Amino acid sequence: MNESNGHFRPDKWRIYFIYLIAAVLFAVAGGRLFYLSVVKKDFLQNQGEIRAVRTVSIPATRGMILDRNGEPLAVSTPTWTIIANPRKLWELEQDPNAKTTPQTEMDRLAKVTGLGRSWLQEKFEVNRNKAFMYLRRQIPPQDADEIMAANVVGVSKRKEYKRFYPSGEVTSHVVGFTNIDDAGQEGLELAYQSSLQGTPGKRSYLKDLKGNEILRIGQDVSEHPGENIELSIDLRLQYLAYRELKAAVTQNRAASASAVILDVKTGEILAMVNQPSYNPNDRSNIEYDQLRNRAVIDLFEPGSTMKPFTISAALRSGQYTTESIIDTHPGYLRFGRQTIRDLGNYGKIDLETVLVKSSNVATSKITLSLPQDTVWNLDYELGIGSPVGIGFPGESTGVLPSRPKWHPAEIATLSYGYGLSVSALQLAQAYMVLANDGYKVPVTLLKQELPLDGRQVLPPRVAKSVVKMLESVVERGSGKRARIPGYRVAGKTGTVHRVGSKGYEYDQYNAIFAGIAPASDPRLAMVVIVNDPKGRKYYGGEVAAPVFSRVMEGALTTLNITPDLPEGLREVRLEPKVPYRLAQGG
């Protein structure tokens, strides 16, 4: 067949068939190229960068935690972490030109790092196919330099920051601590994690098949350090309170203790200490029980330290005045099988004497004579049963029971501080209101240039009258050991049975003192609680009041607060205290 007689030659068909195949292949190749270069461009580019581009994080310095005077309580110091590339080390086995072996390198590494040879062998075996593992973290620069000088294959260093706490156990319960990755675990380190942590930077570079850097690419992203946090804590007062509280716990063989000092005008926490404590710089032997900020978390029944607020509620109601007389005869009250007693039969006494004598009978009668929720309402307004709101992790709300109908005995016991629970900080807040002429400002752990807005809880005349009565408690009542030479002091003692698994433990007590100074123009409020003192003394006036006196005297002097009793006590003579049963008063 040929073209002259109208037929195609067979070789012509072959040529067209080849053209068709070529066109199809070209179309497929073009389509594939379009798919890869347009549709899958981002994915492929990312995959290429994963294999050739490495981005490393540049650590950011964590913000400092400072006291109100700029003293550092938590700082970050630069350290180095030693890391290894196990895959790179084991590749020596496959390299005929290698001048060393993995075993030789591990021997050298063990020598310079101090790590066990068998541990290193196991570690490298487990991570054989990985390009990263930690060897030693957060070591001093000089140690890192010695290790790097050995030039062990696959070993390098990375800059990190380690948290250091200059004041150690003195501020540990407030500041808390971070873990090895610089994340807050306790205290304010945890509460302000987002502000303190900072933003890491980034650096990108091209790497070769062995992971070595060959070319920087792009622009480095700078790290941004975390914010500094300035606390209301005054480290001078913190040290003073810590020292005296620790001594009191040792002297009285107590289980634990807490103390809080507040600036009554601003609501700032100037000191907050606890025993037992711990050293955040060495947490190798810490027990969980040591970590609690007891002043904020632990609850206790406040006992007689609540009696000033019962008197405040009575005065605010208008049914009582400072001259009102209460008949406490015959020295006890009975509610069915329950009996409320005083130390003795005080007969007819005024409200000031009610506090001086710490009369349970009088406060019970006063409360029962008022509308049912009168005392409860004031306790609630003072913050009892509600979180103080300082943002501290684990802060307790306290317990202020509420009932549609109260049994008379329940109302009576509430009047002298039983049947409710508070933290040391909540009790200090309540006394701060008394000291601030009845005006309640928010309590804070952060330094304040100006007081935050608050509200009037008690009429100023009521608050001033009760503070004056509390002066008498210190001058001629159970609070004599709280006296401070040169200053007028107002306060109240409390001695409360501890609550056990089966109810009140009648051989275990909490010793409490809550006070205000200077009484003529209050600046500071302080609460001291010593839990379960096992010595011969266990009353609030014997155990807690002396701690208050020593710490408050130092605080007033440190803050240059003018004495309001310049001709005052140069020598405090204390009368022997007659032991009395807890149920008979504070």
Side-chain angles (χ1 to χ4, degrees):
M1 293 184 290
N2 52 49
E3 291 187 88
S4 61
N5 59 18
H7 297 281
F8 289 102
R9 291 179 304 179
D11 57 342
K12 199 71 170 177
W13 283 104
R14 294 189 188 95
I15 294 171
Y16 286 139
F17 181 74
I18 292 171
Y19 286 162
L20 178 62
I21 296 297
V24 170
L25 292 175
F26 182 79
V28 171
R32 182 62 177 171
L33 181 62
F34 176 82
Y35 177 77
L36 295 176
S37 61
V38 178
V39 179
K40 299 291 287 183
K41 175 183 177 181
D42 292 340
F43 171 78
L44 293 173
Q45 185 173 349
N46 182 56
Q47 290 298 306
E49 289 179 353
I50 289 174
R51 290 163 173 77
V53 178
R54 183 178 180 187
T55 299
V56 295
S57 177
I58 303 173
T61 308
R62 190 175 178 86
M64 292 192 296
I65 299 178
L66 310 168
D67 90 329
R68 65 184 303 105
N69 300 310
E71 291 294 328
L73 306 180
V75 296
S76 292
T77 56
T79 62
W80 290 96
T81 288
I82 304 301
I83 58 177
N85 183 337
R87 186 191 303 162
K88 189 173 184 179
L89 184 71
W90 290 113
E91 285 175 353
L92 295 173
E93 291 181 327
Q94 312 301 323
D95 185 356
N97 298 318
K99 297 179 181 180
T100 183
T101 66
Q103 302 304 325
T104 301
E105 294 300 288
M106 278 189 272
D107 288 339
R108 295 172 59 222
L109 187 60
K111 184 177 180 180
V112 295
T113 61
L115 298 173
R117 178 62 176 80
S118 58
W119 181 88
L120 280 174
Q121 179 73 36
E122 181 181 356
K123 191 83 170 173
F124 275 98
E125 286 284 1
V126 170
N127 295 281
R128 174 181 284 266
N129 297 317
K130 295 182 179 179
F132 175 88
M133 74 176 190
Y134 287 113
L135 287 176
R136 290 186 62 186
R137 297 196 67 179
Q138 298 182 350
I139 63 175
Q142 59 270 25
D143 292 350
D145 290 342
E146 290 180 11
I147 294 172
M148 296 310 299
N151 291 319
V152 178
V153 174
V155 173
S156 59
K157 66 179 181 178
R158 170 187 292 180
K159 188 176 183 180
E160 289 188 332
Y161 290 94
K162 183 178 181 180
R163 210 61 164 161
F164 176 66
Y165 303 94
S167 52
E169 62 187 53
V170 175
T171 57
S172 59
H173 287 120
V174 175
V175 175
F177 57 84
T178 62
N179 62 13
I180 197 168
D181 294 314
D182 222 17
Q185 301 296 294
E186 292 285 341
L188 296 181
E189 290 277 32
L190 174 59
Y192 290 96
Q193 167 67 15
S194 59
S195 299
L196 290 165
Q197 66 179 346
T199 304
K202 293 181 180 179
R203 181 170 63 85
S204 299
Y205 60 88
L206 288 174
K207 60 182 180 180
D208 61 17
L209 293 176
K210 294 184 177 181
N212 299 313
E213 179 179 341
I214 56 176
L215 179 66
R216 287 275 189 98
I217 59 173
Q219 271 193 326
D220 292 353
V221 178
S222 299
E223 72 278 16
H224 294 284
E227 299 176 20
N228 293 340
I229 304 295
E230 194 169 16
L231 304 186
S232 59
I233 296 293
D234 188 319
L235 190 55
R236 299 170 299 175
L237 306 193
Q238 186 82 3
Y239 269 113
L240 176 63
Y242 183 84
R243 181 190 69 197
E244 295 297 340
L245 196 70
K246 187 173 184 177
V249 167
T250 301
Q251 180 181 350
N252 295 283
R253 293 186 287 123
S256 59
S258 298
V260 178
I261 303 176
L262 299 181
D263 184 314
V264 304
K265 303 298 183 185
T266 64
E268 294 171 298
I269 300 173
L270 300 180
M272 179 188 290
V273 296
N274 302 280
Q275 279 293 312
S277 188
Y278 67 94
N279 183 358
N281 297 308
D282 180 9
R283 302 191 292 274
S284 56
N285 296 311
I286 287 181
E287 297 179 6
Y288 177 78
D289 190 56
Q290 296 175 287
L291 298 177
R292 293 204 315 276
N293 185 348
R294 297 172 183 273
V296 176
I297 296 172
D298 285 11
L299 299 177
F300 57 92
E301 288 186 313
S304 294
T305 57
M306 290 302 293
K307 289 175 181 174
F309 306 110
T310 299
I311 301 301
S312 298
L315 293 174
R316 187 175 72 164
S317 73
Q319 289 184 224
Y320 289 83
T321 68
T322 54
E323 288 77 31
S324 296
I325 300 299
I326 312 299
D327 187 358
T328 64
H329 182 79
Y332 59 86
L333 280 177
R334 286 200 176 97
F335 299 95
R337 294 183 178 180
Q338 184 172 352
T339 301
I340 294 173
R341 298 181 182 277
D342 282 339
L343 179 59
N345 182 3
Y346 301 129
K348 295 180 178 181
I349 55 177
D350 60 16
L351 296 187
E352 182 175 294
T353 306
V354 170
L355 294 179
V356 172
K357 297 293 185 181
S358 199
S359 172
N360 295 336
V361 173
T363 54
S364 299
K365 285 190 170 184
I366 290 170
T367 303
L368 290 168
S369 71
L370 298 169
Q372 180 175 277
D373 290 332
T374 302
V375 173
W376 187 96
N377 286 337
L378 178 57
D379 288 348
Y380 179 78
E381 291 176 62
L382 291 168
I384 308 302
S386 302
V388 176
I390 60 173
F392 198 90
E395 179 185 344
S396 297
T397 61
V399 177
L400 182 60
S402 178
R403 296 179 176 83
K405 187 175 181 180
W406 292 81
H407 187 279
E410 293 175 324
I411 297 176
T413 54
L414 194 69
S415 74
Y416 56 85
Y418 278 79
L420 72 159
S421 297
V422 300
S423 67
L425 182 59
Q426 285 177 319
L427 186 59
Q429 177 183 239
Y431 273 78
M432 179 189 73
V433 176
L434 273 182
N436 198 27
D437 291 342
Y439 190 74
K440 181 183 177 183
V441 295
V443 175
T444 179
L445 261 171
L446 301 180
K447 183 179 179 180
Q448 301 296 316
E449 297 299 333
L450 295 172
L452 300 172
D453 292 335
R455 62 187 182 89
Q456 199 72 40
V457 173
L458 284 170
R461 61 174 178 81
V462 170
K464 289 179 182 294
S465 296
V466 175
V467 170
K468 180 70 173 129
M469 295 177 191
L470 291 174
E471 277 195 77
S472 296
V473 174
V474 174
E475 285 302 308
R476 55 190 180 90
S478 59
K480 290 178 181 177
R481 288 173 173 80
R483 292 175 180 175
I484 301 173
Y487 293 91
R488 291 163 56 184
V489 176
K492 186 71 185 77
T493 60
T495 310
V496 188
H497 286 293
R498 288 173 59 85
V499 178
S501 58
K502 297 181 180 179
Y504 290 110
E505 301 287 348
Y506 283 90
D507 59 346
Q508 296 181 17
Y509 302 89
N510 288 335
I512 312 165
F513 187 85
I516 297 162
S520 62
D521 182 18
R523 290 283 306 279
L524 304 176
M526 180 178 179
V527 166
V528 178
I529 173 170
V530 180
N531 300 304
D532 193 20
K534 298 178 181 65
R536 291 183 302 165
K537 301 175 181 179
Y538 55 86
Y539 299 108
E542 296 176 318
V543 176
V547 178
F548 172 92
S549 176
R550 291 190 290 269
V551 176
M552 185 61 80
E553 180 178 8
L556 294 169
T557 303
T558 300
L559 299 177
N560 294 318
I561 296 176
T562 304
D564 58 350
L565 193 62
E567 302 301 324
L569 303 172
R570 298 303 173 191
E571 180 181 356
V572 179
R573 295 185 180 275
L574 302 176
E575 300 175 6
K577 189 172 182 66
V578 179
Y580 58 94
R581 294 187 61 81
L582 168 71
Q584 297 172 338

